[in-house]
Amino acid sequence: MKPRNQNPHWKPLTNMCSPCDISYEYILFLESFNEDLQFLVDTLNITKINLETRKNYKSNGTVPRPREGVGPSDDLLTLDPNLLQYYLQLPPHLMAQVIHYYTLDFKLLGFQVPPVLTSFTTS
């Protein structure tokens, strides 16, 4: 599965930034961005940053907060029922291709594919 004109937003991280060629000191995750950013600010003693400023505000001006317990170090083997219904709309062979396409990213970033999706692709 290698699209000809792939949108760079969907490109696997391992194809974009050569993660094995760069010795990163810190990696922040979108799933736990607020907590990760706070850790970085505290660790590096950063004083000139407003942790409440975000460019993607909701229409009411509030900042979306991540769900509690979400992050690569957590055991994310269950899916939100709405996400599960969304994923189950894909044909099993296509879901298997998507999982395969992002396998290196999953391994690199410590994510696991929920068993319900892998069993769905093999049944």
Side-chain angles (χ1 to χ4, degrees):
M1 184 171 126
K2 187 163 182 155
R4 280 183 248 150
N5 296 321
Q6 185 179 35
N7 180 324
H9 293 97
W10 294 104
K11 200 174 198 181
L13 181 66
T14 50
N15 290 353
M16 291 188 337
C17 71
S18 304
C20 298
D21 295 338
I22 298 171
S23 179
Y24 293 100
E25 290 187 48
Y26 304 98
I27 298 175
L28 282 64
F29 292 90
L30 290 176
E31 294 81 1
S32 56
F33 182 76
N34 290 342
E35 291 83 3
D36 292 353
L37 183 58
Q38 183 65 60
F39 170 80
L40 196 60
V41 165
D42 294 345
T43 302
L44 299 177
N45 216 10
I46 297 171
T47 57
K48 294 186 178 188
I49 187 170
N50 181 350
L51 295 174
E52 298 304 316
T53 301
R54 300 285 186 274
K55 292 186 180 203
N56 294 319
Y57 282 96
K58 288 187 174 183
S59 60
N60 63 3
T62 62
V63 177
R65 297 284 303 155
R67 290 183 309 142
E68 188 66 33
V70 173
S73 60
D74 300 307
D75 186 18
L76 298 176
L77 300 180
T78 58
L79 281 177
D80 176 281
N82 293 325
L83 283 177
L84 179 59
Q85 288 305 311
Y86 176 77
Y87 291 135
L88 292 177
Q89 292 177 40
L90 292 174
H93 73 280
L94 182 57
M95 177 57 76
Q97 286 179 323
V98 169
I99 291 170
H100 177 74
Y101 188 66
Y102 291 104
T103 295
L104 289 177
D105 280 6
F106 294 147
K107 288 180 181 178
L108 175 72
L109 299 171
F111 289 103
Q112 293 183 14
V113 178
V116 67
L117 292 181
T118 55
S119 65
F120 158 68
T121 62
T122 57
S123 58

